[in-house]
Amino acid sequence: MGRTYAFLFTVVTSQNGQAVGNNTLAFVVKVNSEPVFASILGGTERQVPVIAGKVYIAEFDASPSSDPMNETAVLGFEWRVVRSDGEPAPQDSLISSPNAAKLSLNSSRLTSDAVYTVYVTVTGEPLPGTPRQANASQEVVTTSFEIPLVKIEKPRGTQAYSQAAGKWKFNTGRKIILTASVENYNLTDVQFRWLCASGNANLSAPGIVSSRQGSPNLVISAGGLAPGGIYKFKAEVKNIQTQQIGYALVSFETNDIPSTGVCESTPSAGYALDTTFRLSCTGWTDVDVPLKYVFETVSGDGSSDATPISGLRTLSYYDTLLPEPRETGQNLTVNARILDAIGAEVSYKFGIMVTGRPLDVSAVQNQISTRLSEGDTQTFSVLVTGTAAYIRGSSSTSSRGGATEAASVVNGLLNSLETLVGNNQGASAEDRVKVPMSLMNSVTSYPNPDELTPESRNKAIDLIGAVTNDSMNTFSADVVGTSFGALSNVIGATEGGSSVSDEEKRNTSGKIEGIFATLSRGMLSEAVVGENAIEVNKGGIAMSSKLASAEEIGGQTVASTSTTAGMDLPSDFSTSISSSSPIEITLTYVDKPMYPTGDGQNTGLLVASLGQG
């Protein structure tokens, strides 16, 4: 990055193997480099005490700084502290090694009731003849009161650098986590309160925050902040005994989303797996270009169960076949996702009249195999989805070959998905996780239980397990939702109940519980203590997962808001576990038969688990 390259492109015209002419084009490509990123932990403003006869050491940490051009580059750091009137802080108040990423500040050497600014200059890998540096600063407000010494850690979320704006921004489509800490008191001695100091976010409004009041962690929900805004948040910490309050502030900017465009299909009506539709988007604008586009089909009201049609592409159109809709008498809903160059995303949904008609399933299955062998996963996905939709059909199953043929087709589609999953090791996260899981959900969604045989059921469970455990699974909300949809389909299959041995039942239940455990761990991978439980309720399966500190877990009720299932933990439970790390608490409730018992009584599943480490 950060360099200019010159290329020569030569075209030679030949006739009968002899060169008869040529033309050469010279062009230059400049690869921009992202600037050095400078950051000081603790927030944008902090308060520190200056008390006669007492020494307080305030820590300033710039180790989150980085050089995107070379992540392994050794960075240089230069610190200085200046009072608001321009007077430098006394030299003996600065405790730091040369070029160190951290600065210790002896606040007893500062003036009370004053404002200081701590500056750091971060130097990264230079370009030829050009130094690369970035600056960060933090205001320090001194007080003569003995207050809690508060700092806010670096905000966590999806942050990217805007070349157009020359600044870092957060995307609001993912949650943003702010964490406050206290340097001079135990957490049991203080109380936390979060405020929006910029006044443009109501933290008590529904859907804005997904963490409890009084937590050191403030979790701002995905979509909780408006795109294109500048926000400042304040953490106030009160000493319970003295009632003295210290604070720290942090500010950041959110990335605006693409706007003003439309998306449509040409033609607006056609036949499933026959008509070629051009899906296109026009008029979308954003300062961070180039824009990228993804097209996918969604079910019902278009709110869930997305199945990708295209990959992420800079072309604003895509020519494709389409499956018939799942629901009788409805148009097929297509969701276009438009993303700017640093990840801000907006969706645009539109309907297409896609009519099903008799399908040569055998011929389509051959096309599926061909597309898979050619590596064309996008057409493969459409053909699989279309075949599953045809078998599921808006017409009765009997008119399309009956349950026996449908079961055979479903098994064949699962075989194709098994090949896809096995061949996907070098593919993107979308190809390795989202696409196969969405296809699994589509293939196993049946109107007649006989269409999913024990063989198909077991194969589907193994495939769901393999995709769930893939190292590239980010456990995003849409992937988790689709995973639960596929599991619901498979668990609901009742074929072969009494003919399945007890050992097979135990093995199957064990695999399903293992998948639930992996999903729970994945959902909690970015969770923090104090965050509300992450809940999923789909197709008769409900899961509620959260993190809790060891100190607070005793006497808690573990329950799901969407079911009546739950359990009470004894009040002395905290004394029996280590306080070194948070506790993972998960409640899983399956309100459908795992297998029929054979006597008319159905069985479900309730799993409550606690883990640490």
Side-chain angles (χ1 to χ4, degrees):
M1 294 190 297
R3 289 176 169 81
T4 301
Y5 300 86
F7 294 88
L8 291 177
F9 179 66
T10 302
V11 178
V12 178
T13 305
S14 62
Q15 185 175 20
N16 298 325
Q18 299 294 320
V20 296
N22 64 79
N23 195 9
T24 299
L25 173 67
F27 60 96
V28 174
V29 176
K30 183 178 181 181
V31 182
N32 292 325
S33 64
E34 289 187 15
V36 174
F37 172 65
S39 174
I40 304 175
L41 290 180
T44 51
E45 180 182 326
R46 296 170 62 187
Q47 196 178 28
V48 299
V50 177
I51 310 294
K54 290 192 175 183
V55 175
Y56 285 94
I57 304 297
E59 302 288 343
F60 299 87
D61 185 357
S63 57
S65 303
S66 62
D67 184 354
M69 193 176 81
N70 183 358
E71 293 291 350
T72 62
V74 177
L75 303 178
F77 299 88
E78 183 180 349
W79 295 89
R80 59 192 179 95
V81 181
V82 180
R83 202 167 58 197
S84 58
D85 61 2
E87 181 72 18
Q91 193 62 35
D92 60 358
S93 68
L94 309 182
I95 308 170
S96 174
S97 302
N99 260 349
K102 296 182 180 180
L103 169 71
S104 297
L105 179 65
N106 181 354
S107 67
S108 64
R109 300 288 295 127
L110 304 181
T111 305
S112 65
D113 302 312
V115 178
Y116 290 81
T117 303
V118 177
Y119 296 95
V120 65
T121 298
V122 182
T123 302
E125 180 180 322
L127 290 173
T130 306
R132 296 176 62 251
Q133 295 180 326
N135 299 297
S137 63
Q138 188 177 109
E139 279 199 357
V140 176
V141 179
T142 61
T143 176
S144 56
F145 295 100
E146 194 166 359
I147 59 168
L149 192 54
V150 186
K151 66 178 181 180
I152 300 175
E153 307 298 333
K154 178 184 177 183
R156 285 173 282 170
T158 306
Q159 189 182 28
Y161 183 77
S162 168
Q163 291 280 1
K167 61 182 71 174
W168 293 83
K169 300 179 182 180
F170 277 94
N171 288 319
T172 59
R174 299 287 296 272
K175 67 183 178 183
I176 300 172
I177 301 174
L178 306 179
T179 299
S181 60
V182 182
E183 296 183 4
N184 56 341
Y185 291 104
N186 294 322
L187 291 180
T188 53
D189 298 328
V190 297
Q191 294 175 333
F192 290 83
R193 185 170 76 129
W194 285 96
L195 306 165
C196 179
S198 53
N200 50 350
N202 181 1
L203 301 187
S204 61
I208 304 298
V209 172
S210 53
S211 53
R212 61 175 170 79
Q213 290 289 340
S215 171
N217 296 304
L218 175 67
V219 181
I220 303 169
S221 305
L225 299 181
I230 298 176
Y231 294 88
K232 180 181 286 187
F233 292 94
K234 182 179 185 180
E236 288 187 347
V237 181
K238 179 194 292 186
N239 183 302
I240 297 173
Q241 184 176 3
T242 67
Q243 298 295 295
Q244 293 293 333
I245 296 175
Y247 71 84
L249 294 103
V250 65
S251 61
F252 55 84
E253 185 171 342
T254 56
N255 187 19
D256 210 350
I257 57 176
S259 60
T260 71
V262 296
C263 301
E264 61 184 357
S265 169
T266 305
S268 59
Y271 293 101
L273 300 189
D274 185 16
T275 304
T276 297
F277 296 86
R278 170 159 289 193
L279 313 177
S280 61
C281 295
T282 56
W284 294 92
T285 61
D286 194 278
V287 296
D288 295 300
V289 292
L291 298 181
K292 294 183 179 180
Y293 305 84
V294 177
F295 298 97
E296 56 195 17
T297 60
V298 290
S299 65
D301 61 1
S303 61
S304 61
D305 293 338
T307 301
I309 302 173
S310 75
L312 195 63
R313 53 195 284 114
T314 54
L315 288 177
S316 61
Y317 64 89
Y318 185 64
D319 296 332
T320 182
L321 304 175
L322 290 175
E324 62 182 286
R326 290 188 183 186
E327 298 79 13
T328 303
Q330 291 190 13
N331 286 344
L332 179 72
T333 301
V334 172
N335 181 49
R337 294 163 47 210
I338 303 95
L339 297 84
D340 73 8
I342 59 174
E345 178 178 331
V346 66
S347 293
Y348 189 100
K349 294 180 176 65
F350 56 99
I352 307 173
M353 184 181 295
V354 182
T355 305
R357 61 183 183 182
L359 186 69
D360 186 341
V361 175
S362 178
V364 175
Q365 286 181 304
N366 288 334
Q367 292 182 51
I368 288 172
S369 298
T370 299
R371 295 299 188 180
L372 184 58
S373 65
E374 293 173 346
D376 183 359
T377 57
Q378 295 173 6
T379 305
F380 167 85
S381 298
V382 171
L383 292 174
V384 168
T385 306
T387 304
Y390 174 77
I391 292 299
R392 187 169 48 242
S394 53
S395 307
S396 67
T397 304
S398 59
S399 69
R400 300 193 174 194
T404 301
E405 181 182 342
S408 174
V409 172
V410 168
N411 193 56
L413 294 176
L414 287 171
N415 286 335
S416 296
L417 292 180
E418 187 175 37
T419 303
L420 173 70
V421 172
N423 292 344
N424 260 355
Q425 295 311 304
S428 66
E430 177 131 331
D431 286 339
R432 282 174 56 165
V433 179
K434 185 173 182 177
V435 170
M437 193 64 82
S438 63
L439 293 177
M440 205 85 62
N441 187 26
S442 179
V443 168
T444 57
S445 179
Y446 50 86
N448 185 336
D450 292 346
E451 290 176 25
L452 204 63
T453 64
E455 178 189 0
S456 293
R457 171 189 165 112
N458 291 332
K459 184 174 295 182
I461 291 172
D462 288 340
L463 287 172
I464 293 170
V467 175
T468 301
N469 282 285
D470 192 290
S471 60
M472 295 184 74
N473 191 351
T474 61
F475 297 93
S476 60
D478 54 347
V479 168
V480 169
T482 306
S483 302
F484 273 80
L487 279 170
S488 175
N489 297 339
V490 173
I491 292 174
T494 58
E495 164 65 18
S498 58
S499 65
V500 178
S501 69
D502 289 342
E503 182 178 359
E504 288 178 294
K505 293 177 184 179
R506 285 193 296 271
N507 288 340
T508 299
S509 294
K511 290 179 181 179
I512 291 173
E513 290 181 39
I515 294 170
F516 284 143
T518 302
L519 286 169
S520 173
R521 286 194 301 271
M523 289 160 57
L524 292 176
S525 62
E526 296 181 354
V528 293
V529 171
E531 184 173 357
N532 297 344
I534 302 171
E535 298 214 14
V536 181
N537 186 1
K538 190 166 187 178
I541 303 175
M543 179 180 285
S544 178
S545 298
K546 65 179 292 187
L547 287 184
S549 66
E551 293 79 10
E552 68 181 0
I553 195 174
Q556 279 201 16
T557 296
V558 181
S560 167
T561 60
S562 55
T563 71
T564 57
M567 68 173 181
D568 295 322
L569 297 175
S571 58
D572 61 350
F573 190 82
S574 299
T575 62
S576 61
I577 56 178
S578 168
S579 61
S580 60
S581 58
I583 310 297
E584 298 179 359
I585 307 174
T586 298
L587 183 74
T588 307
Y589 178 60
V590 180
D591 187 19
K592 56 170 51 183
M594 295 290 288
Y595 277 101
T597 60
D599 58 2
Q601 296 181 359
N602 290 335
T603 58
L605 177 71
L606 175 64
V607 178
S609 63
L610 289 86
Q612 186 179 34

